[in-house]
């Protein structure tokens, strides 16, 4: 929730899909604040290539806020290199 104290784990490993994460944008900025960081739910779509590897087709950063005006941020494949997941959310601290 807005204004809540939360606990995060730095440098998350493994899949990020479906997790709430702190993301740093290197080549884009958060349209809500103009800042380099945002906290949102991470969703990604991947495409398997002919070599058996994969690449991101699209990444969506979805707000989990009860605040008005927060929108989904979509990161296109050409912007993926400018995105870094800094931490994953663990819990609200009370």
């Amino acid at each position: 929730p807005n204004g809540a104290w939360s606990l995060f784990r730095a440098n998350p490993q493994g899949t990020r899909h479906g997790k709430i994460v702190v993301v740093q944008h290197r080549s884009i900025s958060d349209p809500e604040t103009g800042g380099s960081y945002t906290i949102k739910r991470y969703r990604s779509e991947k495409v398997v290539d002919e070599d058996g590897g994969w690449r991101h087709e699209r990444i969506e950063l979805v707000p989990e806020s009860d605040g008005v005006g927060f929108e989904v941020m979509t990161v296109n494949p050409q912007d993926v290199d400018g995105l870094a997941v800094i931490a994953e959310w663990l819990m609200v601290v009370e």
Side-chain angles (χ1 to χ4, degrees):
N2 285 339
W5 287 87
S6 293
L7 181 63
F8 290 85
R9 175 184 302 136
N11 303 316
Q13 303 298 312
T15 185
R16 294 164 175 107
H17 184 74
K19 295 180 179 178
I20 297 173
V21 295
V22 177
V23 176
Q24 178 185 19
H25 302 277
R26 295 186 183 123
S27 62
I28 60 175
S29 64
D30 187 332
E32 296 146 9
T33 66
S36 301
Y37 296 89
T38 190
I39 300 171
K40 298 215 179 350
R41 185 168 303 275
Y42 185 103
R43 291 195 309 215
S44 67
E45 295 176 16
K46 297 175 183 164
V47 175
V48 178
D49 59 28
E50 55 226 22
D51 297 332
W54 59 269
R55 62 179 170 77
H56 285 288
E57 181 70 19
R58 180 171 70 185
I59 295 173
E60 291 182 335
L61 302 172
V62 182
E64 293 285 319
S65 175
D66 54 3
V68 177
F70 292 99
E71 296 182 7
V72 174
M73 296 173 65
T74 301
V75 181
N76 295 313
Q78 65 271 17
D79 296 324
V80 169
D81 290 340
L83 184 106
V85 176
I86 305 300
E88 70 178 297
W89 178 83
L90 297 176
M91 68 167 85
V92 170
V93 179
E94 298 191 34

